[in-house]
Amino acid sequence: NHTRISEFILVGFKSHPGSQLLLSVLFSTMYIVTVVGNLCMILIIRMDSSLHTPMYFFLENLSTLDICYSSVITPRATLAFLLGKRSISYSGCASQMFFFSLFGTTEAFFLAVMAYDRFTAICNPLLYQVIMSRRLCVLMVMGSYLSGCINCTIQTGFTFSLSFCGRREINHFFCEVAAVIHASCSDTLVNELVMLAVCGSIIVGTALVVFISYGYIIITIIQMPSAESRHKAFATCSSHMVTICLFFGTVFFMYAQPGAASSPNNSSTISVFYTVVIPMLNPFIYTLRNREVKGSLKKQLKR
């Protein structure tokens, strides 16, 4: 019975002793870059009044979310590689899954909200300030977190209602939903169906908002009279489009296809991409491809 389980063993990324140090250095470096990069984005936005717009309000919240998202996974994995301690307590595993699902789901909704923001700015520029009021922006952020809370409660509750017999190994480097389900000795069909239905509907639903928004955006940009206005409009969206492709591409492969829960063995490498690499890349994507952020950064450095 699952109540007798005191710990799990995380066996993802089995490696030779010589490569343990390399993995720990790699993970810790990426985590430091993630935290520093996202903190810099938050500080730049807060210190420059010209960036106090809905777009940068969402970007500031995305940076905060990326720090939390990466912090749930990377420090624990780094210690496991460095010290070789792969055990995680039953409650620790449940907590890690809860917050991982919370922040991951919230990020998907954030990206959909940011796509709607760009749709409003480009397709309805005269009404942008009226539509994207401060109140609506705050409600959208709160709604994203609420949606994340609902999903993580469902996923964690269903997963840890399963039975785990004896000392169980999780074929992953963190307590990812599909890997924990796979480690159970219960019938997991209901859990797999719930994960496919809930995660699939979230991913497909948020992706639809993104694709419909950008469909209208592309049509509007094509119809703009001058090349300069088209270039300016595209520049405001290109960073977000890169982030969307990276995030939804990997997450769809992991959770929104049949059999995702029953075959997690090859998911560790992909999981590194969306739990560690993407949060690290986001600040660079938004900084290097955004004139306003680069201009504000230069201004702050001069000061």
Side-chain angles (χ1 to χ4, degrees):
N1 189 285
H2 71 275
T3 56
R4 294 199 297 268
I5 295 294
S6 61
E7 65 177 20
F8 295 99
I9 306 300
L10 301 169
V11 297
F13 280 156
K14 288 180 179 177
S15 56
H16 298 292
S19 62
Q20 296 284 350
L21 180 61
L22 177 61
L23 283 171
S24 66
V25 170
L26 181 62
F27 268 58
S28 59
T29 301
M30 288 192 292
Y31 180 65
I32 291 169
V33 172
T34 299
V35 173
V36 172
N38 282 288
L39 280 176
C40 286
M41 282 296 301
I42 295 169
L43 289 173
I44 290 169
I45 293 170
R46 290 198 172 185
M47 293 173 67
D48 192 338
S49 58
S50 66
L51 300 181
H52 294 176
T53 63
M55 173 183 172
Y56 292 103
F57 172 74
F58 294 131
L59 185 53
E60 179 185 348
N61 278 278
L62 180 65
S63 293
T64 303
L65 186 67
D66 279 339
I67 293 173
C68 298
Y69 190 31
S70 185
S71 296
V72 172
I73 307 299
T74 315
R76 179 67 182 74
T78 302
L79 287 175
F81 293 133
L82 183 62
L83 304 177
K85 185 179 179 182
R86 296 178 177 273
S87 63
I88 184 170
S89 67
Y90 183 86
S91 58
C93 186
S95 299
Q96 189 180 60
M97 180 186 293
F98 180 89
F99 287 108
F100 162 73
S101 299
L102 168 63
F103 296 131
T105 305
T106 304
E107 180 143 351
F109 279 94
F110 266 17
L111 293 176
V113 166
M114 292 171 73
Y116 176 75
D117 172 71
R118 291 300 83 206
F119 159 75
T120 308
I122 293 173
C123 300
N124 296 291
L126 298 178
L127 297 175
Y128 178 68
Q129 294 297 333
V130 177
I131 296 173
M132 299 303 294
S133 64
R134 181 73 178 182
R135 181 174 179 272
L136 179 62
C137 292
V138 172
L139 287 174
M140 284 181 165
V141 169
M142 291 174 62
S144 298
Y145 275 105
L146 177 61
S147 301
C149 282
I150 293 171
N151 180 51
C152 69
T153 301
I154 292 172
Q155 296 295 344
T156 307
F158 268 84
T159 301
F160 284 89
S161 66
L162 295 170
S163 294
F164 298 93
C165 309
R167 182 180 166 100
R168 299 302 300 173
E169 292 185 344
I170 297 175
N171 192 18
H172 218 299
F173 65 95
F174 70 99
C175 289
E176 191 264 341
V177 180
V180 177
I181 290 175
H182 193 68
S184 172
C185 56
S186 302
D187 181 4
T188 61
L189 177 61
V190 173
N191 293 73
E192 291 179 33
L193 292 175
V194 168
M195 190 186 87
L196 179 63
V198 176
C199 293
S201 61
I202 289 171
I203 295 167
V204 173
T206 51
L208 276 176
V209 173
V210 169
F211 294 143
I212 291 172
S213 296
Y214 274 98
Y216 280 106
I217 287 170
I218 291 169
I219 292 171
T220 303
I221 291 175
I222 291 172
Q223 293 175 345
M224 289 179 176
S226 67
E228 183 181 353
S229 58
R230 287 195 296 270
H231 176 76
K232 185 177 179 181
F234 181 76
T236 63
C237 301
S238 57
S239 302
H240 189 230
M241 290 173 68
V242 172
T243 303
I244 285 168
C245 292
L246 291 173
F247 183 84
F248 281 103
T250 53
V251 171
F252 183 86
F253 183 84
M254 285 291 298
Y255 297 106
Q257 58 172 331
S262 58
S263 56
N265 295 346
N266 298 320
S267 65
S268 293
T269 303
I270 300 169
S271 298
V272 170
F273 199 73
Y274 70 84
T275 58
V276 182
V277 177
I278 292 178
M280 179 186 68
L281 291 179
N282 278 348
F284 296 99
I285 292 171
Y286 283 103
T287 301
L288 297 176
R289 302 185 63 86
N290 191 303
R291 289 182 180 178
E292 291 176 326
V293 174
K294 285 191 290 186
S296 178
L297 180 59
K298 289 177 182 178
K299 190 191 304 180
Q300 299 302 328
L301 290 174
K302 286 180 181 179
R303 288 181 182 176

